[in-house]
Amino acid sequence: MEAAAQRAQIEQFLAEYAAAIDEDRLEQWPEFFTERCLYQIIPYENFSQGLPVALMFADSRAMLRDRVTAHRKANVFAPQRYRHLIGPLRVIGEEEEGAIVVRANYAVYRTMLDAANYGRSELFSVGVYHDRLIREQGRLLLREKVVVVETARIATLLVTPL
Amino acid sequence: MAGASQVGQFPSEVALDYTRIPYRLFFDPTIEALEQQRLFQGPVWNYVGLEAELKRPGDFKTTTVGRVPMVVTRTEAGDFRLLVNRCAHRGAMVCNEPRGHRAMLVCPYHQWSYDLAGRLRGVPFRGGAGGRGGYPADFSLADHGLQSARIDSYRGVLFGSFSDAAPPLTAYLGQQACAELDRVFARPLRILGYSRQEIRGNWKLYAENTRDPYHASLLHLFHATFTNHRITAEGGNDTAPFAGHIHSVKGDDAAEAAAYEAQVGARGYRLADPSLMAGRPEFGRRVLSILTVFPNLVVQQIGNTLATRQIVPLAVDRFELLVTYFGYEDDDAELASIRLKQANLIGPAGYISLEDGYAVELVQQAIQGECGAASVIEMGGRATESQDTLATENGLRAFWRTYGRVMGWDGPGAANGSGGATGAD
């Protein structure tokens, strides 16, 4: 595929990914991943020292669905929403098994919707997406998304994926 | 002022048996200032890190005791030092990184240089420049080292104290806490990583939260469902003066689980990928154990996740929670991967912990401006001794008893003339 077309397709894919989260369509979020996958939110503090602990970790689409189920049914937190800003996008290259390696900066602003903080927005998280995308039946999917969070000191809690 | 009391006395609203704690203690800046002096710099042992974080001589990490910035070093001799991270010259922070490796600690401001034990080894232009200026002839390097504090360790867990009045560490911890640390720190550790949260609440609200098994199965539905942390489970709460609280839960009782669901309401909640909770038994039937050590440490074993949590007060209404995750050096690959998967349970995004920051903030938000009201701490009765149930808040009462004593309050009731009783044990 021509590089510019591929890039446009990846940009569109990441925009759709962000919109699913930002518009509270979380049930669609796992569908951006392959059945066997890796999703991690890892603080830069750990990533840079080779320390493996992540804040969120999933190695299957089912485990991503469990995150959504907990979000909807189990976890208790102040109502809030995200707005993702993603980019610039860098296509690093293509690996032998056909995975496209992508890096992109991200910033997530969080707006609180609880009584005490209604309407307060803040820069909640900034960092880098380390993505590996593959094509399945013409459609892009994430085989791997490692979110390296530079905002290591999380403001209160992190319940919605980045 | 009616109802007001001197900060040196126990606030008159505190109940004799620690079942009423005035909300003022969570937002009054005069209380916060007094805590720095009497509590964090008082006769206590503050958690400052793990030996496993400082493997080689020259390794250092920065931390705090209360709000005082500190640096922990490992000297050439291999021992540990705890130094105030403030240049003896003009007060600049000497080590301005979370951790690192240095032969000497050099202040960036005027390059005063200290060895790893905090002794001042050199100051630039001590003799002046071109024969003019410089320090007086009687200026002695030996008089200007970094201020140091006591440091001691138990099973590789490092504690520091500014006070000579702090009891020996093992006596401070007590037998039960030592036994718990013997279990969790039985083998050489491997540090697996860190997480940090900044929570907009007073640090004592979190100290209460971690001594409170009552909330665990109610606030944390995930906990009740998947880690057997139900109020009806077999478990217990042990209290001791400083190692304030250990609560532990034993799992695998199906009848108990059914009884709990009957009371709280089953929600048909199942995992699509059960591998998350497919752990490996490491501590017998014990699925969970939370040890708190006054004032700033929590040691947790939840399934196969092992971690210390350090409460770092930042202001009267803010604290940082620093979680240090660890396993053992001899973990096999499968156990190592179980620990990483179960790390989902704790930390800022933890299935069974993220609610705690929220709960703390809900209290902090609701008590603003409050002049007289107090919390009610009567679950499990009004005593502080150990109980073999999770349906209790005895750990909170024990915390406040210790808090009152360390703050130098003669005992609740002293301020309003009701007797100055100290016999709340």
Side-chain angles (χ1 to χ4, degrees):
Chain A
M1 183 181 282
E2 191 202 332
Q6 185 191 57
R7 181 187 176 80
Q9 201 181 12
I10 295 169
E11 275 181 348
Q12 179 66 18
F13 175 84
L14 288 178
E16 296 291 349
Y17 172 94
I21 298 170
D22 294 352
E23 294 171 8
D24 197 27
R25 293 181 274 111
L26 280 185
E27 286 69 16
Q28 294 171 14
W29 170 66
E31 310 309 316
F32 287 85
F33 292 82
T34 54
E35 188 58 48
R36 301 302 306 173
C37 57
L38 176 68
Y39 177 74
Q40 272 189 297
I41 301 178
I42 184 166
Y44 180 76
E45 181 174 19
N46 296 349
F47 184 78
S48 62
Q49 297 184 85
L51 297 173
V53 157
L55 307 178
M56 284 191 193
F57 173 96
D59 58 6
S60 72
R61 195 191 274 159
M63 203 171 280
L64 297 172
R65 292 199 183 108
D66 287 332
R67 264 286 164 191
V68 177
T69 306
H71 191 285
R72 297 295 195 213
K73 286 191 174 178
N75 292 142
V76 183
F77 51 92
Q80 52 185 269
R81 76 186 316 161
Y82 286 173
R83 289 294 165 190
H84 281 73
L85 302 179
I86 298 173
L89 183 77
R90 275 198 304 148
V91 179
I92 305 289
E94 212 154 320
E95 293 179 333
E96 276 183 20
E97 308 117 32
I100 310 162
V101 181
V102 172
R103 298 268 186 290
N105 294 349
Y106 77 88
V108 170
Y109 290 83
R110 182 172 70 172
T111 301
M112 303 307 295
L113 302 171
D114 58 319
N117 298 291
Y118 192 87
R120 180 166 61 78
S121 297
E122 65 190 349
L123 178 57
F124 175 64
S125 183
V126 64
V128 182
Y129 286 157
H130 294 238
D131 293 350
R132 281 191 161 73
L133 294 132
I134 59 149
R135 236 173 257 287
E136 253 181 34
Q137 294 158 355
R139 197 180 160 223
L140 286 173
L141 288 173
L142 284 160
R143 174 183 287 168
E144 196 174 303
K145 187 174 198 70
V146 177
V147 183
V148 180
V149 188
E150 286 164 11
T151 314
R153 194 188 279 189
I154 306 292
T156 310
L157 60 85
L158 170 69
V159 65
T160 307
L162 296 169
Chain B
M1 280 196 308
S5 54
Q6 301 295 311
V7 290
Q9 297 176 306
F10 221 105
S12 56
E13 312 93 307
V14 178
L16 189 63
D17 50 9
Y18 304 94
T19 55
R20 296 290 183 281
I21 300 300
Y23 292 127
R24 185 164 66 82
L25 297 192
F26 302 104
F27 63 78
D28 184 341
T30 61
I31 298 284
E32 199 269 346
L34 202 66
E35 283 174 0
Q36 296 305 314
Q37 179 198 335
R38 294 190 180 174
L39 192 155
F40 293 109
Q41 294 173 46
V44 303
W45 286 100
N46 296 272
Y47 170 71
V48 294
L50 297 171
E51 288 186 5
E53 295 178 277
L54 305 165
K55 286 200 181 298
R56 296 177 301 155
D59 284 352
F60 73 87
K61 64 166 280 186
T62 51
T63 183
T64 68
V65 168
R67 286 167 64 183
V68 178
M70 307 295 288
V71 55
V72 187
T73 63
R74 187 156 201 176
T75 68
E76 293 302 331
D79 60 343
F80 298 90
R81 297 299 171 95
L82 179 61
L83 307 166
V84 175
N85 191 6
R86 182 175 61 230
C87 187
H89 176 212
R90 298 253 298 280
M93 192 170 282
V94 176
C95 300
N96 202 16
E97 300 152 276
R99 61 188 68 81
H101 182 84
R102 295 273 187 285
M104 298 285 285
L105 310 178
V106 181
C107 177
Y109 199 173
H110 302 88
Q111 293 180 22
W112 280 33
S113 301
Y114 304 89
D115 67 18
L116 296 164
R119 288 177 293 239
L120 182 62
R121 291 303 196 183
V123 300
F125 301 107
R126 187 178 175 186
R132 288 190 293 276
Y135 281 98
D138 62 353
F139 180 86
S140 165
L141 296 183
D143 294 340
H144 301 282
L146 294 176
Q147 188 188 339
S148 66
R150 297 170 69 190
I151 186 165
D152 201 355
S153 78
Y154 186 81
R155 287 278 183 177
V157 186
L158 292 163
F159 295 88
S161 181
F162 276 111
S163 170
D164 291 334
L169 182 58
T170 49
Y172 182 88
L173 293 169
Q175 271 183 348
Q176 283 174 309
C178 285
E180 175 65 14
L181 295 174
D182 289 344
R183 265 193 296 269
V184 174
F185 295 92
R187 308 205 296 283
L189 300 192
R190 176 179 297 160
I191 302 295
L192 300 178
Y194 301 91
S195 70
R196 298 167 187 270
Q197 284 163 270
E198 186 169 324
I199 295 171
R200 297 177 201 218
N202 183 270
W203 69 274
K204 298 188 293 298
L205 292 172
Y206 189 75
E208 284 190 323
N209 176 279
T210 56
R211 290 161 172 82
D212 166 17
Y214 183 17
H215 84 284
S217 64
L218 300 168
L219 179 66
H220 309 301
L221 175 63
F222 196 96
H223 219 344
T225 310
F226 297 112
T227 69
N228 298 313
H229 197 311
R230 292 173 293 266
I231 203 162
T232 45
E234 179 186 346
N237 273 273
D238 296 313
T239 60
F242 290 105
H245 184 227
I246 302 172
H247 84 260
S248 60
V249 179
K250 291 169 178 159
D252 73 16
D253 184 337
E256 175 277 318
Y260 176 82
E261 289 208 349
Q263 184 167 345
V264 176
R267 302 196 201 183
Y269 187 9
R270 298 288 177 266
L271 288 175
D273 185 341
S275 72
L276 176 68
M277 297 312 298
R280 185 195 290 179
E282 277 187 284
F283 300 92
R285 284 181 62 216
R286 204 180 62 173
V287 292
L288 173 146
S289 170
I290 305 286
L291 163 67
T292 59
V293 179
F294 192 90
N296 72 330
L297 172 63
V298 180
V299 177
Q300 65 140 77
Q301 173 250 319
I302 298 176
N304 299 107
T305 69
L306 306 170
T308 63
R309 305 181 203 160
Q310 180 179 3
I311 307 171
V312 183
L314 301 173
V316 69
D317 57 358
R318 275 188 309 134
F319 67 93
E320 183 186 359
L321 188 61
L322 171 61
V323 180
T324 303
Y325 304 75
F326 59 88
Y328 302 116
E329 275 185 2
D330 61 2
D331 284 351
D332 56 52
E334 185 192 63
L335 188 53
S337 91
I338 288 171
R339 294 202 205 284
L340 298 186
K341 206 171 261 199
Q342 289 193 359
N344 275 304
L345 295 172
I346 62 162
Y351 279 130
I352 59 171
S353 64
L354 69 87
E355 288 91 0
D356 291 322
Y358 180 49
V360 162
E361 293 190 350
L362 284 177
V363 178
Q364 193 76 28
Q365 288 159 7
I367 63 176
Q368 292 306 310
E370 186 49 62
C371 297
S375 59
V376 176
I377 307 178
E378 294 191 3
M379 192 67 164
R382 300 189 176 91
T384 56
E385 70 269 12
S386 302
Q387 294 181 341
D388 57 355
T389 174
L390 297 174
T392 181
E393 291 171 325
N394 64 332
L396 280 76
R397 291 185 290 274
F399 169 81
W400 288 108
R401 179 189 58 190
T402 302
Y403 179 89
R405 289 181 178 172
V406 170
M407 289 291 277
W409 290 328
D410 290 327
N416 58 6
S418 64
T422 55
D425 297 81

